[in-house]
Structures are given as C-alpha cells and as structure tokens.
Amino acid sequence: MQTLKRVTGVMFPVILFSLLALCLLSLSRLLLTIWQADHITGWQDWLMILAQGVRIDISTLCWLLILPSLLLALMPVTGVLGRCWLFVFRIWLVAGLWVLVYMELATPTFITEYNLRPNRLFIEYLVYPKEVFSMLWVGYKAELALGLLGTLLTLVLGWKLSGYAVRDLTAPKWYWRPVLALAVVALGVMGARSTFQHRPLNPAMVAFSTDPLLNDLTLNSAYSVIFAAKNMASEKNAEEFYGQMPLEEIIQTVRQASGREAEFISDEIPTLNTISPTFSGKKNLVILLQESLGARFVGGLGGLPLTPNLDQLMQEGWNFTQVYATGTRSVRGIEAMTTGFTPTPSRAVVKLSKSQTGFYTIADLLARQGYHTQFIYGGESHFDNMKSFFLGNGFEVIVDLPDFVNPKFVGSWGASDQDLYTMADLQFTKLHQSGQPFFSLVFTSSNHSPYEFPDGEIELYEQPEHTRNNAVKYSDKALGEFFAKAKQSDYWKDTVFIVIADHDARAEGNVPVPVDRFHIPALILGSDIQPRQDDRLASNIDMAPTLLSLIGADNTSPMIGHDLTKPLAPEFQRAMMQFDKNFGYLTRDKLVVLQPGKAPMGYQYDFDSRQLSVTEVSELESKRALAHALLGGKLYREGRYKLPDASEHQLANAD
C-alpha cells in the first residue's frame, strides 16, 4: 500500500477509493448474477455482464471523482487551507462510496419486486416518504436493518480509510500541477464517456440480451438511478427511443389501423372521433380498479385458485379473457382506464406537468353530461400525483383515507379493501338517492407489498401470512362481499360496473416485452349485462369507450380504443404495452417490439401456451407499431389530447 501511495502521489486517495469501489461493485454484480443464474443462457452472458459491468463502473467513478480529482491536483494539501480542503475531499469520497454501497444493498429487494435494478420507480417513490417508510417498516425490516448496518459500516470504515489515504500526501511541484490537472480531466472525460462515438456511454451500449434483467445486471444501481433521473429531467420523447415519423403519417396510420377511419372528425384534435352509444338512456358507471391483479392469480383465467368470488362473477357478467394492460404501474393503469391514452416511454400522464389541466378524461366528459364524478381510494390520494391530476381533469370529489370513519383495518397503504368497499357502497347509496347519475373510480390497495390485511378474514393460501397470494385471496373476498351487497342495493339496477386490474404484479421474462405478464382480468357487470365470454384481443384502453357505450353516454372524445359492444374484426384487434423503455404492439398474429436504438423485432405469440417465438416483421407492421408508440407523446406535447370546447364541437359536428 505504501508503494502504491509513493508511486501515485497526490492521486493516491482517488485511486484507492476507485479500486475499492470497483471491487465492491463487481462483487455485488457477481452475487446478483449468481442469484439470478436461471436467466443466464451461456458463458457469453457471464462475460458480457462482468466485463461490461466494469466499464459501467469505471464510467460511474469518473463522473463521481473527476471534479475532486481536478481540485486535488490544483489545491494545496498542507497548511490551514490544505487541511480544510482535505476534510471536504474526504466527505466527498465517503459520501460517494456510501451511495454506491447503499444502492447495491437496496438492489435485491427492488429486483424481487420489479425484476429490474432500481430505476425511475425508485426516484418516484422517494417523493412519498411516509407511505414508503411505512411499507418498508412493516414488510422489509430485515432489509432496513441491512441498509442501516451497511450505511454505518461504510461511513465509519470509509472515514477511517480516507484519513489514512490523505495522510502525508506529497503534492507535485507547482509547474507540474497544470499538467496533472489536464491529465486528470482528459482521463476522467475519456473514462466517463467510455467511447469515441458521438454519444457517451449509456445502457443501450452495453445491452446485449432480450432479457431486460440481464441488461440491467450489467449496470450498477447508482448509475441506473442517475441515468433515470437524467431522463426524467429531460422527459425524453418516444422519437429519441424509436425513431421519427411525421404527425400526419402517424395520424393516418393510427386511423387506418382502427378500422373506423371515417369516424375521425377533427384536424385540431387528430384522434377526436364520435362513437354512438349502444344503450339508450343514462346509467351510472363504477370502475373497480384492482391493484396488481394479473391473470395468473385468477382461477377463471387459468391462474392460481385465489379468486373464487371473481371466478363466480365471471359466469354472471361480460368476461373478457384476452385483455392486456398498457404498463406495469398503477398510474399507467389509471391513465388507460380514465383517459384511454396510449402508453409512452415517458411517465404516465397522471404525473406529467402539461396534463394536469385541460387533459381528456372520461370524468370530464361525463361531468359535462351532468354526472357527479369522484375518486375513492383507501390511502392518501396525493400519492403518484393522483389527486392533482384528477381534480384538474374533471373529477369533482376525492374520497380518501382522511374521510374514512373508524376503518376496520389500516395498513401501510391505507384502509383495507373491505373498508374501501364499505365506503364505496355508502357513496353510491347517497348519490343514487340524490337522483344524479354518477361516475366513480374505486382503487384498491390491499394487494400491494407488504400485503397487509385483517387477520382471520381468509383461510390462508400459504405461509407466512403476508404474501401476495394471500393478499389476492383477501382482496377477492372483499370484492365478493361488495357485490353481494351491491346486488341488493337500489343503485344496482342503474349502474354498470367493471372489475379490472391496473397491471400484473410483477413483469418479468427473458424477452423485451413479456406479454403474459400484461394479461389482466376485465369483467363488466350490471343488471342488464348478459353473461358472455369474450375472447377478442383487447387492451384496457378499449374499456372506457365500451363502458361509455353501455351507460348511454355521448362519446365524442380523442380516445382511439374500440367500443367492444360493436363487432370488431380480428385484423383490428390489438393491445399496446410499455415495458420500461420497450414498446410492444400485439395483434392476433404478431408482436412487434420497439427498443431504443434497435431495429423492430417480431414475435409470434401463442395465446394458449403464452410463449413467444422470433419471426420476421414487415415494414407495414413496423410502421404501425411505431405510429402507435409515437402518437401519445406527440399529442401530449402539442396539447391536442383534449375535449373540444363548445364551438369546436359544434363545428366538428357541422363538418
């Protein structure tokens, strides 16, 4: 060590901490890869993950240390000024090391939940410390303890090591200092960029597999989160990921793909179209949005035997067997169900700045037609910016946890599903008595980590008690109790209900878009809804137009979803899925996947075996997928996904 210190001189602390960080990051990557070894297909995967991982780590360390290294080359290391500078320098080193270590310690838990390294979801959850800390305290005490222990060890040992590293440093002669500074900057920039190409190193450059987790293992978690933060700050649009297409061509392609090109009526709002309702009259609408209820947990869809109540209800209503979510987060499900908006690689519109007012929602549409509109949630409605988005776009009333009186059970995410449905029944009864039609979005939360629910309510499916499968079973019981009560209510005969998931619990797989992990239940119920099993391929963006048709609402809106009360030929059936940075466009015979900086990929999807096999993709199929991938971002940025004002509406109808 003394020899290294003598040879490296004033740069010894930087080199020492860099070598230590490289060893720790490589060890973490190796252990994570061993843990996820079932994703590995051959020795080439090991080589790419470990070798390219070092490249990512070097780039990370160069970004972290280039500024203090430059100052170290120029600043004195003796005297009062030198001691003050070295104290600040030590803080920088130790803090940087702690961030790297802590993020790696947090990674296994994040992979368990999301099958990816910490990314933008990690940042988004940090905005809600109360809910997140409550969740961690209840369900992840061991992980919290490990993080605290790792933090203490890193800070204590790192501080001691930094003291040794800066002790008795020998600065070069003054005339060598500018040379050393230039060398530090040159090497630092080269290491940070890690390439002579136009663009610096980024995750796409080291991506090598169709399995997203393997590509993520190549990164380190600090790099992954910082890269996500950079993207969030710039809100990159889909063109930067998938390529360019003029808006006119996008609109033409999307209209043609809808199978109802003649129904589009506006140039200012390019997707504005009118769908005549099937039902003549006016009914209430209730969306029961189920947290993380993928089809694999639903017995009636071939999943685990966890949902006997939902399975029975599927025999009583209009059951869709091939509906697919647009994303992997609740805000994406809310986006699809309330706005019919196509998914994008950006954040869901619930959280985007330009969509907080004047953005289309079915709540706004129905409020204009005399409906009372509300959102009912057992937790804090400010989570994920829901409250702001809803109140700015047509929802008149928010009912959340502070409005619940003596709830039976409150967990990390708020009141239990039973409490939620009790509140919903009270609201529906009161609204029905007022004589005003109503639209209500009811969002469950019990099926969310750490899976808390009242003791003694169900016969546990497995041990320990607080698991996802047990939470699904509890949530299903609460749903069954609600419908047993609703069928006896006065509002039942005048209301259309849909039970649908926001997304599956955990999207994972060894392909860029794991289609089977987007499969969700969707069931429409009501006194006039006849039992049927519907095997048409559909998306949750198709549900809003269908529901508006069933309640007799006038539907002139920018939604491109299909009204499934009407016939839909197989060639126009489709689903769109956003999986991190990848976009999937699924039809009856093909899945087209768009990935950043890569050519479109084609897969055959077997709906029975739920397996994908690589196939060719035509230029027309690629164009159709690209148009739908770019549509949402274009309309959002230009403020053209909205309802027309009265004069625009009259003009459109006149045309």
Side-chain angles (χ1 to χ4, degrees):
M1 192 69 72
Q2 287 299 323
T3 301
L4 179 63
K5 193 171 188 178
R6 185 172 59 254
V7 171
T8 56
V10 76
M11 289 292 117
F12 174 72
V14 173
I15 293 173
L16 177 62
F17 270 73
S18 296
L19 292 174
L20 175 60
L22 282 174
C23 291
L24 292 175
L25 292 172
S26 295
L27 177 61
S28 174
R29 183 176 293 107
L30 176 62
L31 293 176
L32 290 172
T33 307
I34 293 172
W35 174 40
Q36 297 293 329
D38 56 331
H39 288 257
I40 298 292
T41 60
W43 65 267
Q44 298 91 339
D45 291 349
W46 287 98
L47 179 62
M48 289 296 294
I49 290 171
L50 299 178
Q52 293 284 22
V54 172
R55 180 185 178 190
I56 288 287
D57 296 342
I58 291 174
S59 176
T60 303
L61 291 170
C62 286
W63 285 115
L64 174 66
L65 297 174
I66 186 171
L67 177 58
S69 297
L70 173 62
L71 294 176
L72 189 63
L74 297 174
M75 294 286 287
V77 294
T78 58
V80 175
L81 180 59
R83 289 194 297 271
C84 292
W85 153 240
L86 290 180
F87 182 81
V88 173
F89 176 66
R90 290 174 65 189
I91 292 175
W92 187 294
L93 288 179
V94 176
L97 182 65
W98 170 74
V99 169
L100 296 174
V101 170
Y102 183 82
M103 291 306 305
E104 293 303 309
L105 291 175
T107 298
T109 302
F110 199 91
I111 288 178
T112 299
E113 186 68 20
Y114 297 105
N115 207 50
L116 293 167
R117 278 190 183 270
N119 52 23
R120 67 184 301 149
L121 300 184
F122 190 91
I123 301 169
E124 291 175 357
Y125 272 122
L126 292 178
V127 180
Y128 309 99
K130 175 180 176 292
E131 289 86 354
V132 172
F133 184 80
S134 178
M135 176 185 70
L136 294 174
W137 180 251
V138 173
Y140 300 93
K141 289 186 176 66
E143 290 83 352
L144 279 175
L146 179 61
L148 178 60
L149 178 61
T151 294
L152 292 175
L153 287 175
T154 303
L155 294 179
V156 173
L157 297 180
W159 187 253
K160 289 185 176 181
L161 183 63
S162 69
Y164 164 75
V166 302
R167 190 178 304 128
D168 300 325
L169 282 182
T170 303
K173 299 293 186 180
W174 65 268
Y175 47 83
W176 285 114
R177 288 195 169 204
V179 177
L180 179 59
L182 288 174
V184 164
V185 171
L187 291 174
V189 170
M190 290 173 59
R193 287 184 53 83
S194 192
T195 177
F196 291 107
Q197 297 180 19
H198 177 66
R199 293 182 180 274
L201 179 68
N202 59 71
M205 286 188 180
V206 296
F208 66 95
S209 174
T210 57
D211 186 339
L213 178 59
L214 293 185
N215 293 331
D216 259 24
L217 289 176
T218 308
L219 312 178
N220 62 66
S221 293
Y223 180 93
S224 178
V225 168
I226 292 170
F227 188 83
K230 178 176 178 291
N231 283 346
M232 290 173 67
S234 60
E235 284 297 345
K236 288 191 174 182
N237 57 55
E239 285 93 335
E240 297 179 50
F241 285 116
Y242 311 132
Q244 300 285 336
M245 183 183 288
L247 179 59
E248 294 75 15
E249 188 175 357
I250 292 173
I251 298 303
Q252 181 183 17
T253 303
V254 169
R255 288 178 174 181
Q256 290 173 346
S258 71
R260 46 191 180 87
E261 192 172 0
E263 297 177 9
F264 293 90
I265 58 176
S266 172
D267 292 328
E268 174 60 26
I269 306 174
T271 58
L272 191 71
N273 65 97
T274 297
I275 300 177
S276 300
T278 300
F279 175 73
S280 179
K282 184 172 284 189
K283 288 205 169 195
N284 309 313
L285 173 60
V286 172
I287 297 176
L288 302 176
L289 193 61
Q290 308 295 299
E291 171 68 50
S292 303
L293 185 62
R296 58 198 171 108
F297 302 109
V298 179
L301 294 176
L304 296 174
L306 304 174
T307 57
N309 293 291
L310 180 56
D311 296 346
Q312 176 58 42
L313 291 170
M314 285 177 170
Q315 305 305 312
E316 303 172 13
W318 184 0
N319 182 37
F320 296 90
T321 63
Q322 293 296 338
V323 169
Y324 293 81
T326 55
T328 60
R329 285 217 58 204
S330 297
V331 283
R332 191 67 79 187
I334 291 171
E335 171 188 74
M337 291 302 300
T338 62
T339 75
F341 197 66
T342 54
T344 72
S346 184
R347 292 185 290 177
V349 294
V350 177
K351 306 185 75 170
L352 293 178
S353 58
K354 293 177 66 175
S355 55
Q356 297 308 297
T357 58
F359 197 83
Y360 170 79
T361 69
I362 58 174
D364 191 11
L365 179 77
L366 292 175
R368 298 186 186 197
Q369 298 179 39
Y371 278 74
H372 174 87
T373 57
Q374 66 175 182
F375 173 55
I376 306 177
Y377 180 51
E380 300 282 355
S381 60
H382 64 77
F383 184 78
D384 265 347
N385 202 54
M386 294 184 293
K387 186 174 185 178
S388 176
F389 176 79
F390 288 148
L391 292 179
N393 291 296
F395 284 83
E396 298 170 332
V397 174
I398 304 292
V399 180
D400 62 358
L401 183 58
D403 300 302
F404 284 62
V405 179
N406 298 322
K408 178 179 179 179
F409 178 86
V410 177
S412 300
W413 290 94
S416 70
D417 284 2
Q418 287 173 305
D419 292 304
L420 175 71
Y421 289 131
T422 297
M423 172 62 81
D425 177 68
L426 290 172
Q427 291 289 317
F428 302 160
T429 300
K430 180 175 67 174
L431 290 169
H432 184 265
Q433 290 172 349
S434 73
Q436 183 181 22
F438 62 86
F439 160 57
S440 183
L441 172 64
V442 182
F443 185 26
T444 72
S445 59
S446 291
N447 183 26
H448 194 298
S449 174
Y451 314 116
E452 301 166 274
F453 51 86
D455 293 333
E457 288 292 333
I458 60 168
E459 181 180 344
L460 298 180
Y461 177 77
E462 61 191 4
Q463 291 290 345
E465 178 179 6
H466 297 294
T467 66
R468 188 184 297 280
N469 289 337
N470 287 331
V472 170
K473 194 171 182 182
Y474 165 73
S475 186
D476 178 73
K477 179 186 179 181
L479 181 71
E481 291 174 347
F482 167 75
F483 274 107
K485 184 183 296 184
K487 290 174 184 177
Q488 304 303 314
S489 71
D490 292 335
Y491 59 77
W492 172 257
K493 66 181 184 301
D494 297 317
T495 306
V496 172
F497 301 83
I498 184 170
V499 180
I500 189 168
D502 55 356
H503 57 85
D504 195 357
R506 181 185 177 206
E508 59 182 353
N510 57 1
V511 291
V513 177
V515 174
D516 61 316
R517 295 306 172 90
F518 286 78
H519 189 197
I520 57 173
L523 170 66
I524 298 176
L525 292 158
S527 60
D528 296 329
I529 303 298
Q530 298 302 310
R532 62 179 291 198
Q533 301 294 308
D534 195 330
D535 297 330
R536 288 177 292 178
L537 171 62
S539 169
N540 47 357
I541 70 169
D542 299 313
M543 294 299 110
T546 303
L547 294 166
L548 293 175
S549 186
L550 287 171
I551 66 173
D554 294 330
N555 181 11
T556 297
S557 76
M559 295 186 294
I560 66 168
H562 298 297
D563 174 5
L564 297 175
T565 66
K566 299 175 172 62
L568 181 63
E571 60 265 28
F572 299 120
Q573 298 173 26
R574 51 86 191 102
M576 286 165 270
M577 291 157 274
Q578 190 73 44
F579 182 55
D580 195 27
K581 296 176 286 292
N582 301 337
F583 178 87
Y585 189 88
L586 178 67
T587 61
R588 272 294 175 187
D589 60 355
K590 188 74 60 74
L591 170 69
V592 179
V593 175
L594 305 179
Q595 302 176 82
K598 294 185 178 181
M601 295 185 66
Y603 297 87
Q604 294 284 351
Y605 183 65
D606 189 314
F607 288 87
D608 294 322
S609 67
R610 302 177 183 177
Q611 297 297 312
L612 287 165
S613 55
V614 177
T615 188
E616 297 294 324
V617 57
S618 70
E619 183 178 346
L620 178 61
E621 291 166 336
S622 298
K623 177 182 176 182
R624 183 176 57 189
L626 179 60
H628 285 85
L630 301 182
L631 175 68
K634 288 272 193 182
L635 297 182
Y636 163 76
R637 289 190 298 277
E638 296 182 12
R640 299 170 76 177
Y641 195 82
K642 60 182 181 178
L643 283 174
D645 60 30
S647 60
E648 288 176 323
H649 194 184
Q650 291 169 0
L651 181 60
N653 288 336
D655 292 342

